[in-house]
């Protein structure tokens, strides 16, 4: 019997994605033998509505000095975070002596905007290599995991925060009560805590099961975040839908009773009820859809293999680790994955061991088909590759929300 990480009720499992490696654990051949695996299953809590991993590797196995995800690889995301920062500066009327804390600032993609405006800031980033990139930009960074202890240390050193921000990080952290306790302490009386993460509503509707991997402990909804906030004298005062990462939700929280609550919150809660996100059956239907995608994609890849077509992939994403390992995709199906991230180059993808090559070689490779693993950046990537793909008759293979070949 497995207990909910938030409310300790018994959870209900709805998908078993099998044995999975570390999603960002790109590795060399000599490391294949010692590759770490865990059993990846996802469950729904009928009481607090939180969707969560049943088992997860230790945090140090995922976030360390060789972390492979660098936020600034997408120009679109740079602009997204520029706008996010501008909206916070306006909302909280931030001045030079205000304090902004960002949890999981990675290479500084968002917090650099506060630094550039001369606003007092602190980035919290435990993965040393990406934190170093942020530091090299002149950003103040502490290379630690955020938790209640770090919140207390920050108060002692810098005082309380006007805004605490986080993007694509909260859903990575199983010890949520320590995080929320820390936020309750660190936030000024009129401060706001704003975070965004992939939205479970989109994941369910688009069957984008690849948002499930070792780092993603939680798939949040407004329902589950409201429950969690309520356990720590905080409340959700606004929600804003974002198109990033295939559909995300931005949650604004404040101390209970301190700020007006936007109508958006009630409207979104109603949408979630309409989608059935408070019932197990919605998640079971999702599992059925995922199995259809699995069947369709493998049928296509096997057929292309038999026809001797050259199939490669674009974007060595963490998400693709779930896809390749759950579906059983091997280097026989996909010759290589191209990616712009230097630390992933000349290594192999976790579990499936597909070679990862520098992006520059993509245009020399002349494939017949390209599986778009970075489908959440489809607009940016398809625009960039339009001319090359069209002039060489190369086709994209997409699998979210269903399998299709795109000219
Ligand atoms: N905010 C960035 C990075 C997201 S990747 C973006 O949206 O692109 C997730 C990041 O969270 C990693 O850099 C990881 O090191 C960091 N992280 C994981 N656990 C954390 C914790 N407890 N406190 C602060 N950061 C954490
Ligand atoms: P992303 O989908 O943001 O994240 P995750 O690892 O969380 O699933 O990762 C995008 C990956 O795609 C990253 O490794 C960089 C790569 N990429 C390219 O190679 N070219 C591009 O134009 C873009 C936008 C990303």
């Amino acid at each position: 019997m497995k207990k909910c990480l938030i409310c300790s009720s018994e959870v209900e499992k709805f998908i078993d994605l099998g044995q999975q490696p570390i999603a960002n654990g790109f590795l060399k051949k000599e490391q294949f033998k010692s590759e770490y695996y865990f059993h990846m299953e996802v469950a729904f809590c009928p009481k607090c509505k939180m969707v969560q991993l049943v088992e997860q590797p230790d945090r140090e196995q995922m976030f360390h000095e060789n972390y492979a995800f660098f936020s600034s690889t997408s120009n679109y995301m740079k602009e997204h975070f520029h706008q996010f920062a501008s909206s916070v500066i306006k909302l909280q009327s931030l001045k030079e002596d205000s304090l902004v804390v960002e949890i999981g600032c990675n290479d500084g993609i968002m917090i650099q905007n506060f630094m550039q405006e001369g606003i007092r800031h602190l980035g919290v980033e435990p993965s040393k290599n990406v934190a170093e990139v942020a530091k090299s930009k002149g950003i103040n960074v502490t290379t630690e995991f955020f938790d209640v202890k770090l919140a207390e240390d920050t108060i002692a050193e810098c005082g309380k925060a006007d805004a605490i921000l986080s993007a694509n990080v909260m859903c990575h952290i199983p010890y949520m009560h320590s995080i929320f306790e820390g936020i309750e302490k660190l936030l000024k009386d009129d401060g706001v805590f704003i975070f965004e993460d992939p939205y479970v509503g989109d994941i369910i509707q688009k069957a984008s099961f690849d948002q499930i991997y070792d780092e993603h402990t939680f798939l949040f909804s407004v329902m589950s975040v409201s429950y969690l906030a309520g356990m720590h004298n905080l409340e959700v005062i606004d929600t804003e839908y974002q198109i990033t990462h295939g559909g995300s939700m931005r949650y604004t929280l404040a101390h209970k009773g301190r700020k007006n609550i936007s109508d958006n919150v009630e409207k979104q809660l109603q949408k979630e009820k309409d989608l059935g996100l408070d019932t197990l059956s919605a998640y079971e239907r999702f599992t059925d859809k995922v199995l259809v995608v699995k069947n369709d994609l493998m049928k296509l890849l096997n057929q292309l293999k038999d026809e001797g077509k050259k199939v490669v992939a674009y974007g060595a994403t963490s998400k693709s680790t779930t896809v390749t390992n759950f579906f059983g995709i091997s280097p026989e199906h996909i010759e290589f994955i191209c990616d712009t991230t230097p630390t992933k180059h000349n290594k192999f993808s976790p579990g499936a061991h597909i070679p990862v090559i520098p992006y520059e070689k993509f245009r020399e490779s002349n494939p017949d088909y390209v599986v778009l693993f970075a489908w959440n950046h489809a607009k940016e990537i398809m625009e960039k590759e339009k001319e090359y793909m069209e002039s060489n008759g190369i086709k994209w293979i997409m699998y979210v929300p269903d399998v299709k070949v795109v000219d």
Side-chain angles (χ1 to χ4, degrees):
M1 192 175 77
K2 173 74 189 174
K3 300 259 186 209
C4 174
L5 289 163
I6 303 302
C7 73
S8 302
S9 303
E10 196 178 331
V11 295
E12 294 169 348
K13 294 179 194 175
F14 61 88
I15 192 163
D16 182 345
L17 293 158
Q19 289 297 311
Q20 292 279 347
I22 300 293
N24 264 313
F26 296 87
L27 69 179
K28 297 230 169 231
K29 222 175 218 157
E30 55 271 25
Q31 295 170 305
F32 287 178
K33 269 196 192 139
S34 57
E35 192 169 13
Y36 173 88
Y37 284 85
F38 75 106
H39 187 191
M40 196 162 81
E41 293 174 289
V42 192
F44 165 71
C45 174
K47 186 165 179 219
C48 71
K49 318 300 178 199
M50 191 64 87
V51 178
Q52 55 200 276
L53 286 183
V54 175
E55 197 188 310
Q56 200 183 16
D58 291 340
R59 63 185 189 179
E60 286 78 8
Q61 259 175 300
M62 301 183 281
F63 310 117
H64 42 62
E65 67 283 3
N66 292 315
Y67 187 55
F69 179 71
F70 288 72
S71 300
S72 297
T73 44
S74 162
N75 287 331
Y76 181 81
M77 292 309 290
K78 276 190 212 161
E79 180 51 29
H80 171 78
F81 287 125
H82 176 71
Q83 286 180 17
F84 188 161
S86 302
S87 72
V88 179
I89 293 173
K90 200 164 150 218
L91 181 74
Q92 290 297 87
S93 308
L94 297 179
K95 314 233 164 21
E96 287 179 4
D97 60 351
S98 306
L99 177 66
V100 178
V101 175
E102 187 188 349
I103 303 172
C105 68
N106 200 278
D107 59 13
I109 189 167
M110 171 146 69
I111 203 165
Q112 64 195 9
N113 295 289
F114 298 98
M115 181 201 71
Q116 281 155 10
E117 293 296 322
I119 296 167
R120 211 155 60 94
H121 62 273
L122 177 68
V124 184
E125 178 46 68
S127 297
K128 275 207 185 86
N129 57 340
V130 293
E132 285 306 322
V133 177
K135 281 184 193 171
S136 72
K137 296 177 182 170
I139 299 166
N140 304 321
V141 186
T142 175
T143 315
E144 309 262 6
F145 286 94
F146 185 86
D147 57 11
V148 65
K149 167 84 175 52
L150 192 94
E152 286 163 353
D153 293 349
T154 306
I155 297 168
E157 235 173 84
C158 313
K160 293 198 179 192
D162 297 86
I164 304 174
L165 310 176
S166 198
N168 308 305
V169 175
M170 283 300 115
C171 72
H172 291 61
I173 309 179
Y175 41 100
M176 258 304 129
H177 291 304
S178 176
I179 298 288
F180 270 62
E181 225 178 285
I183 283 161
E184 194 194 349
K185 288 186 176 181
L186 181 57
L187 204 59
K188 279 188 185 163
D189 287 349
D190 61 350
V192 286
F193 168 40
I194 312 180
F195 69 96
E196 61 185 40
D197 279 294
Y199 182 53
V200 74
D202 284 272
I203 295 168
I204 290 295
Q205 282 184 297
K206 295 177 183 156
S208 48
F209 72 101
D210 54 351
Q211 285 293 0
I212 303 166
Y213 52 90
D214 57 355
E215 295 177 19
H216 286 178
T217 321
F218 298 113
L219 304 180
F220 294 131
S221 58
V222 182
M223 281 188 254
S224 58
V225 170
S226 300
Y227 189 103
L228 169 62
M231 293 173 93
H232 295 277
N233 288 315
L234 296 165
E235 64 187 349
V236 179
I237 60 160
D238 202 1
T239 56
E240 284 167 276
Y241 183 75
Q242 309 292 322
I243 58 160
T244 50
H245 290 300
S248 296
M249 191 60 73
R250 184 178 294 170
Y251 309 88
T252 303
L253 278 66
H255 289 289
K256 220 174 239 172
R258 295 294 307 200
K259 302 226 180 219
N260 291 334
I261 299 179
S262 157
D263 292 346
N264 293 343
V265 180
E266 196 44 52
K267 280 188 200 148
Q268 198 60 40
L269 284 168
Q270 189 53 49
K271 276 191 200 162
E272 293 185 351
K273 288 209 181 90
D274 295 344
L275 273 175
L277 296 184
D278 51 347
T279 61
L280 180 66
S281 53
Y283 302 96
E284 288 173 336
R285 281 198 299 276
F286 157 83
T287 303
D288 293 341
K289 277 197 227 161
V290 173
L291 295 176
V292 171
V293 174
K294 178 177 184 178
N295 186 51
D296 291 351
L297 187 62
M298 290 320 292
K299 203 169 140 194
L300 176 63
L301 292 179
N302 281 322
Q303 183 197 322
L304 295 175
K305 177 164 72 85
D306 293 344
E307 289 170 7
K309 299 287 186 207
K310 179 168 175 146
V311 182
V312 305
Y314 200 114
T317 56
S318 334
K319 292 185 286 294
S320 66
T321 296
T322 299
V323 179
T324 52
N325 287 282
F326 181 52
F327 286 5
I329 297 173
S330 74
E332 289 196 1
H333 299 105
I334 291 179
E335 198 175 305
F336 63 77
I337 311 172
C338 75
D339 195 284
T340 50
T341 317
T343 49
K344 296 180 185 177
H345 295 160
N346 307 318
K347 290 187 182 156
F348 293 85
S349 74
H353 301 161
I354 301 169
V356 181
I357 65 156
Y359 163 70
E360 288 68 26
K361 294 198 181 155
F362 171 66
R363 293 201 187 165
E364 298 160 15
S365 64
N366 217 16
D368 297 301
Y369 293 85
V370 186
V371 180
L372 186 56
F373 280 150
W375 57 266
N376 48 312
H377 299 289
K379 192 167 177 284
E380 184 173 351
I381 292 172
M382 284 179 166
E383 267 169 27
K384 191 159 68 179
E385 305 303 345
K386 195 172 180 336
E387 208 188 308
Y388 171 65
M389 302 284 285
E390 277 180 8
S391 55
N392 291 285
I394 307 167
K395 296 181 170 74
W396 291 107
I397 296 177
M398 311 289 290
Y399 52 87
V400 175
D402 35 42
V403 177
K404 57 175 182 274
V405 175
V406 185
D407 280 320

